[in-house]
Amino acid sequence: MDRRTALKDATRVVVKIGSSSIVRPKSISRDFMDSVAEQVGRLRAEGKEVLVVSSGAIAIGLKAMKVTPKPKEIPIRQAAASVGQSILMKEWGDCFSRHGMLVGQVLLTMDDYSVRDQAVSLNNTIESLLENNVVPIFNENDAISDYEIRFGDNDTLSAIVASRTDADLLIILSDVAGLYDADPTSHPDAKLVPEVEDIDSIRHMAGKSVSGVGTGGMKTKLDAAEICRDAGCLMVIALSSAEDVVYKAATGEDIGTVFLTSPGISKKRRWIKSAHPSGTLVVDDGAGRAVLDHRSLLPVGIREIKGRFDAGDVVEIVCNGEAIAKGIVGYDSSDLARIAGRRSTEIEGILGHKGHDDAVLTENMALLRRRFHSVTPLGSPSAYLWNTGFLTPLSLWSFQSSYASKTYRLSRTTTAMFTHPITALMMPLISFISDTPTSDVTNTSTHVVTRSAFMQRGSSRRNLRLDSAIE
Ligand code: GLU
């Protein structure tokens, strides 16, 4: 589906504006802010609802206070946010009122958002603002968010806002024109990718581009695209200085990079996935497999409990050192510590009461990564070679198309082969021949996970598909 068709019925649009678009070296860019307000007005006149996520508080505050903090100096940034946020909102208020609109400020912290009742109440506030024709303007509540509880960057925040409000489109305005097939700062011949169907298959293109005053780079934009994908929301990254950029992106014109989407996962699962976990359940291999197979987590599979939490909190589920899922836990941490490793039939005898058989029900869980697809000797000959560790790196190309976008658990021998210095030397060649991003081959102690490493040569659309296993 092309973007114009995909955006034909888009009514709710979130626009994220980065610090570098608002704060210029000498002043605040009022012309730009005014132009955004004018375009938002035009979109609203055409029946669209627009929500804005604006960065800039810290940068404006630092300028106003005439201070330059050292990289890790948090209190001064928090103070700057408190100064800058009010200046930022005054500027937005003035711009929107010149175009006949009222704005409302919504400041969020990850901690507030992770409490389910508060996340629901956030929705009520937003709906009420929109019903009353107010343009909501969001930012992280930087003045009180410390490192433990912060969203960290407004790319993520804007995707969470888009997901939470069931928006149809998120537009990220940036100082880069979109996603390039190589890092444009070091490769001047890098080409803009107009359309992406599968985020996982292009992660290697993101580079490390980080703009001057904001905290986001291309990586955080791709993380945002993943949150949007789960929500069935389209996302466009476009250059903030392009003419009429908000209007063009919202009406499906070819501008920047569009990230197409799939039907998405339920709102509850999206919330679980993005909520801040109150604790960690370390589980054994069998429980890990069950979780990835969409089955509930039983106390018997829990090895260790970290942190203190209540029943109903979100916890992270970790297997072999990797966070595989998040879920709403059925027992508090002290009860769970007593029944961990024990059969469900023993729960009542140990606790004197019993809730569920399960520690985390499957319907209260969101997977953080794709399930492993086991490769068995009964599969193709290449799969057999792969599984038994006889795969030669160059044969990657011969069967990559049939295994695109899947995740494999590899044998120790294959892991050893991938991490062998000679293979490492050959990786650029493999990468060149097969389009296999070597950075996607990550080594954990017992296995290698290749995520979208097997993208077919030429990245044809046919193969850049989403794997429905992720939920
Ligand atoms: N919330 C920060 C601010 O308003 C910006 C974070 C970001 O640049 O992503 O200054």
Side-chain angles (χ1 to χ4, degrees), residues 16 19 54-59 139-140 142 152-155 213-216:
K16 184 258 167 176
S19 302
S54 174
S55 303
I58 298 176
N139 197 358
E140 175 145 25
D142 296 298
D153 64 86
N154 278 6
D155 294 331
V213 280
T215 49

Side-chain angles (χ1 to χ4, degrees), residues 36-358:
V36 169
E38 184 275 325
Q39 294 172 65
V40 169
R42 241 188 299 154
L43 288 169
R44 290 205 341 169
E46 292 177 13
K48 297 198 191 286
E49 293 168 326
V50 186
L51 300 85
V52 174
V53 175
S54 174
S55 303
I58 298 176
I60 292 173
L62 290 175
K63 265 188 198 303
M65 293 160 74
K66 298 191 175 48
V67 286
T68 320
K70 297 192 185 83
K72 296 224 160 94
E73 236 179 326
I74 306 301
I76 190 73
R77 283 174 203 276
Q78 293 187 312
S82 121
V83 172
Q85 183 63 30
S86 58
I87 302 176
L88 182 66
M89 281 311 292
K90 173 159 189 328
E91 295 291 343
W92 278 125
D94 290 350
C95 290
F96 275 97
S97 86
R98 271 196 290 279
H99 298 279
M101 288 167 277
L102 195 62
V103 297
Q105 167 181 272
V106 185
L107 296 180
L108 296 174
T109 66
M110 186 62 169
D111 227 22
D112 295 339
Y113 171 78
S114 300
V115 178
R116 198 155 159 77
D117 288 352
Q118 262 157 272
V120 171
S121 130
L122 168 69
N123 266 67
N124 297 339
T125 309
I126 296 168
E127 294 305 329
S128 178
L129 286 169
L130 292 171
E131 271 163 31
N132 287 286
N133 292 320
V134 177
V135 179
I137 300 190
F138 297 81
N139 197 358
E140 175 145 25
N141 197 350
D142 296 298
I144 58 157
S145 294
D146 68 22
Y147 262 82
E148 282 294 297
I149 55 153
R150 58 197 305 245
F151 290 97
D153 64 86
N154 278 6
D155 294 331
T156 308
L157 175 67
S158 63
I160 285 177
V161 168
S163 167
R164 190 72 215 157
T165 59
D166 286 324
D168 304 294
L169 171 69
L170 166 64
I171 304 169
I172 295 194
L173 297 184
S174 172
D175 53 2
V176 287
L179 178 76
Y180 285 85
D181 59 1
D183 188 344
T185 51
S186 49
H187 297 78
D189 55 343
K191 287 191 195 59
L192 184 82
V193 179
E195 191 177 292
V196 173
E197 277 189 49
D198 179 4
I199 304 140
D200 292 333
S201 61
I202 45 83
R203 274 211 179 256
H204 65 290
M205 294 178 187
K208 293 188 184 65
S209 65
V210 176
S211 55
V213 280
T215 49
M218 195 47 81
K219 187 195 165 294
T220 56
K221 294 182 177 49
L222 295 191
D223 291 344
E226 203 170 316
I227 296 171
C228 286
R229 174 191 67 188
D230 287 349
C233 171
L234 293 154
M235 187 180 114
V236 171
I237 302 175
L239 191 63
S240 61
S241 57
E243 206 190 329
D244 239 8
V245 59
V246 177
Y247 186 84
K248 284 179 179 162
T251 50
E253 281 192 38
D254 284 334
I255 192 162
T257 301
V258 67
F259 292 78
L260 298 174
T261 187
S262 57
I265 59 176
S266 75
K267 202 164 187 171
K268 181 161 121 191
R269 283 207 161 97
R270 281 184 255 152
W271 174 76
I272 293 172
K273 214 169 160 180
S274 49
H276 186 67
S278 311
T280 303
L281 310 182
V282 181
V283 302
D284 62 24
D285 272 352
R289 266 198 305 277
V291 164
L292 291 172
D293 257 346
H294 301 281
R295 281 184 277 137
S296 298
L297 173 66
L298 297 170
V300 71
I302 301 175
R303 285 260 174 83
E304 194 191 340
I305 288 150
K306 295 181 185 165
R308 290 178 67 161
F309 46 82
D310 290 322
D313 283 355
V314 171
V315 293
E316 199 163 54
I317 300 170
V318 170
C319 183
N320 286 326
E322 186 189 1
I324 57 169
K326 280 187 191 168
I328 302 174
V329 67
Y331 291 92
D332 66 32
S333 44
S334 60
D335 280 356
L336 207 51
R338 292 166 66 199
I339 59 174
R342 310 292 284 267
R343 308 212 153 269
S344 300
T345 47
E346 298 175 80
I347 297 177
E348 198 161 2
I350 299 168
L351 298 182
H353 62 90
K354 185 179 167 188
H356 285 289
D357 275 356
D358 324 86

Side-chain angles (χ1 to χ4, degrees), residues 377-393:
L378 298 174
S380 69
S382 311
Y384 178 73
L385 290 176
W386 178 278
N387 207 28
T388 50
F390 287 109
L391 174 82
T392 61

